[in-house]
């Protein structure tokens, strides 16, 4: 596996870590994570494409860019990977092509991948309108249990305006890109961990539809949430990232964390990143910097557990809510990850509106919020 990385600042060219461009790489996978405004530049795809021959270029907008142990804002980070003993296959789809039925979209996307010798599917999804849990449900519907699945919902800092994704074209809205990794030489592991603690009364979801939450204990959910936030309610949906919801369905062994993507004042409802089933029990959650840093350490330990080889590269997807809590100490969680996975492992990734990975000891992928998610690759 050959890997090179570069950083682009506003109105400047890409600067590679080894001083070279990517012309020497053969059919590389080029992951480009960046600030939404910079990805809106009409020339960004041509600029990246000019650096490589026959590349698979995947874009995703972020709420912060991760490269090595550094967290950046207002930049673009690029990681190009040449797989020497294995292969990749990339497919894309758009929410508009499936009447905004995210489960059907996921099912359609998974059907494009031959399942013989596939090891893992990494998904980079638009994050502003998609129901992430419905998307995963569609991806999982006809997926063999031995195929790993992880990824994330793209971000737009804390604006929640629009997110951009694309494969071999200019970044655009509504796109979901899936990357399939094939070959017996690959070792791929993934894990996630949060570090958030429930507090306050447990309430019952009495009215919801998909990822839209209407009532808790028979009362308007948005009103209850605004009452709790007080003055911070004026900053919704941004302020909701500091107080996510722990959602435990009756048939679930593990609670899921959900954050608010948007609010619907007309219907007095909250729109979350994934499903919030009626009959589930919810609690507010909070965290500290130390708890978040420890959560990142635990996620890295879980991803490394049982591995036969040290990872060549780590793809990190961490939640924007974690970044808001940590503020100037954000890089500490990346440093904790690096201390576990090794100094020689390349690191890239982004801060997201949602993370995709299985729970520890489980095969089926779930949508998470407020977690650090790692996917580790070696060849």
């Amino acid at each position: 596996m050959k890997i090179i990385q570069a950083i682009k600042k506003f109105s400047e060219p890409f600067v590679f870590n080894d001083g070279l461009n990517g012309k020497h790489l053969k059919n590389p996978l080029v992951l480009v994570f960046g600030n939404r405004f910079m990805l809106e530049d009409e020339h960004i795809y041509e600029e990246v494409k000019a650096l490589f021959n026959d590349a698979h270029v995947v874009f995703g907008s972020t709420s912060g860019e991760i490269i090595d142990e550094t967290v950046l804002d207002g930049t673009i980070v690029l990681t190009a990977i040449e797989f020497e003993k294995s292969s990749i296959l990339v497919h894309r789809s758009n929410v508009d092509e499936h009447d905004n039925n995210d489960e059907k979209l996921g099912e359609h996307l998974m059907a494009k991948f031959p399942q013989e010798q596939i090891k893992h599917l990494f998904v980079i999804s638009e994050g502003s309108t998609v129901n992430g849990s419905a998307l995963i449900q569609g991806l999982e519907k006809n997926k063999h249990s031995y195929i790993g699945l992880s990824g994330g919902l793209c971000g737009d800092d804390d604006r929640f305006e629009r997110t951009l994704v694309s494969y071999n074209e200019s970044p655009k809205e509504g796109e979901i890109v899936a990357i399939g990794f094939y070959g017996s030489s690959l070792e791929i592991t993934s894990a996630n961990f949060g570090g958030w603690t429930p507090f306050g009364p447990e309430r019952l979801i009495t009215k919801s539809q998909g990822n839209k939450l209407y009532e808790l204990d028979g009362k308007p959910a948005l009103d209850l949430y605004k009452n709790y936030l007080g003055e911070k309610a004026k900053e919704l949906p941004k302020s909701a990232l500091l107080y996510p919801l722990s959602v435990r369905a009756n048939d679930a062994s593990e609670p899921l964390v959900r954050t608010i993507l948007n609010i619907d004042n007309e219907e007095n409802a909250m729109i979350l990143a994934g499903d919030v089933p009626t009959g589930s029990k919810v609690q507010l959650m909070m965290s500290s910097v130390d708890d978040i840093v420890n959560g990142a350490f635990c996620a890295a330990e879980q991803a490394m557990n049982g591995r036969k080889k040290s990872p060549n590269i780590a793809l990190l997807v961490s939640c924007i809510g974690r970044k808001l809590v940590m503020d100037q100490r954000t890089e500490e969680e990346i440093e904790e990850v690096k201390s576990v996975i090794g100094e020689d492992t390349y690191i890239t990734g982004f801060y997201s509106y949602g993370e995709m990975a299985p729970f520890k000891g489980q095969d089926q992928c779930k949508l998470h919020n407020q977690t650090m998610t790692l996917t580790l690759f070696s060849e």
Side-chain angles (χ1 to χ4, degrees):
M1 192 180 294
K2 298 177 182 178
I3 303 167
I4 60 172
Q5 293 185 301
I7 298 172
K8 177 180 173 63
K9 297 180 180 179
F10 184 73
S11 297
E12 296 181 13
F14 281 97
V15 177
F16 283 85
N17 57 359
D18 60 0
L20 303 173
N21 63 23
K23 294 292 187 181
H24 63 290
L25 298 181
K26 183 180 179 181
N27 300 321
L29 170 64
V30 181
L31 301 173
V32 187
F33 302 131
N35 171 269
R36 187 254 292 181
F37 293 121
M38 292 184 69
L39 295 191
E40 287 176 333
D41 186 322
E42 60 180 337
H43 302 297
I44 188 62
Y45 172 62
E46 287 78 8
E47 183 177 352
V48 173
K49 196 71 173 176
L51 299 171
F52 301 92
N53 295 318
D54 301 320
H56 301 275
V57 182
V58 178
F59 288 94
S61 64
T62 78
S63 295
E65 303 83 55
I66 300 170
I67 185 167
D68 195 30
E69 55 188 350
T70 304
V71 178
L72 302 172
D73 289 295
T75 67
I76 297 175
V77 299
L78 179 155
T79 301
I81 311 161
E82 178 188 329
F83 294 91
E84 299 174 280
K85 303 175 184 177
S86 48
S87 62
I88 63 167
L89 185 62
V90 186
H91 288 294
R92 45 79 42 203
S93 193
N94 194 285
V95 294
D96 291 340
E97 297 169 8
H98 302 274
D99 298 321
N100 294 308
N101 185 322
D102 299 323
E103 183 175 346
K104 284 186 177 179
L105 190 157
E107 190 175 355
H108 168 80
L109 202 53
M110 188 69 224
K112 292 184 175 184
F113 290 89
Q115 297 201 15
E116 184 178 354
Q117 288 199 328
I118 187 171
K119 283 289 187 72
H120 197 91
L121 202 69
F122 191 86
V123 177
I124 299 172
S125 170
E126 80 93 38
S128 52
T129 62
V130 73
N131 179 339
S133 54
L135 173 65
I136 291 172
Q137 188 173 344
L139 289 163
E140 286 278 2
K141 190 170 184 179
N142 297 309
K143 179 181 76 64
H144 290 307
S145 61
Y146 61 80
I147 303 171
L149 176 61
S150 61
L153 308 183
C154 285
D156 179 25
D157 291 330
D158 58 11
R159 290 181 292 267
F160 293 91
E161 293 173 352
R162 58 197 300 253
T163 57
L164 306 175
V165 181
S166 69
Y167 168 53
N168 278 355
E169 62 178 324
S170 296
K172 60 184 180 180
E173 292 184 86
E175 288 285 290
I176 290 89
V177 173
I179 308 164
F181 296 87
Y182 290 80
S184 58
S185 64
L186 286 171
E187 183 180 14
I188 305 172
T189 55
S190 60
N192 76 94
F193 202 91
W196 293 70
T197 304
F199 72 97
E202 191 173 60
R203 299 184 183 276
L204 183 70
I205 297 179
T206 48
K207 183 180 179 183
S208 65
Q209 183 177 2
N211 63 334
K212 209 164 189 177
L213 177 57
Y214 293 95
E215 292 182 2
L216 294 172
D217 292 339
K219 301 176 182 178
L222 184 56
D223 285 348
L224 286 171
Y225 202 82
K226 285 181 176 179
N227 286 338
Y228 175 78
L229 289 178
E231 284 296 312
K232 291 182 180 179
K234 297 176 182 178
E235 301 174 24
L236 282 170
K238 174 185 175 180
S239 57
L241 293 167
L242 302 175
Y243 301 100
L245 298 176
S246 171
V247 181
R248 184 187 292 276
N250 291 329
D251 59 347
S253 59
E254 298 272 2
L256 292 164
V257 183
R258 291 284 178 261
T259 54
I260 297 171
L261 290 181
N262 216 329
I263 57 175
D264 188 332
N265 284 306
E266 288 187 7
E267 296 191 359
N268 212 18
M270 302 188 291
I271 302 167
L272 293 98
D275 285 345
V276 281
T278 299
S280 300
K281 294 179 179 180
V282 303
Q283 276 183 286
L284 287 167
M285 304 186 81
M286 64 187 303
S287 192
S288 67
V289 171
D290 290 340
D291 288 339
I292 288 175
V293 170
N294 184 62
F297 180 85
C298 292
E301 281 198 321
Q302 289 182 17
M304 288 293 289
N305 186 37
R307 284 190 64 90
K308 298 176 182 178
K309 301 177 183 178
S310 297
N312 300 119
I313 187 166
L315 299 187
L316 275 52
V317 182
S318 186
C319 186
I320 172 62
R322 300 169 68 87
K323 186 166 176 274
L324 291 179
V325 171
M326 297 191 75
D327 196 19
Q328 294 181 350
R329 294 177 61 185
T330 302
E331 290 180 349
E332 289 185 26
E333 72 164 345
I334 314 300
E335 292 167 0
E336 284 296 302
V337 168
K338 188 165 185 175
S339 73
V340 176
I341 65 176
E343 290 291 324
D344 295 332
T345 302
Y346 285 86
I347 296 174
T348 189
F350 60 96
Y351 280 83
S352 73
Y353 287 170
E355 306 84 56
M356 302 177 184
F359 280 116
K360 181 181 179 181
Q362 298 183 14
D363 293 325
Q364 197 168 61
C365 183
K366 298 290 185 183
L367 177 76
H368 309 274
N369 293 123
Q370 306 292 6
T371 67
M372 163 63 78
T373 294
L374 302 90
T375 306
L376 307 180
F377 298 79
S378 59
E379 188 181 40

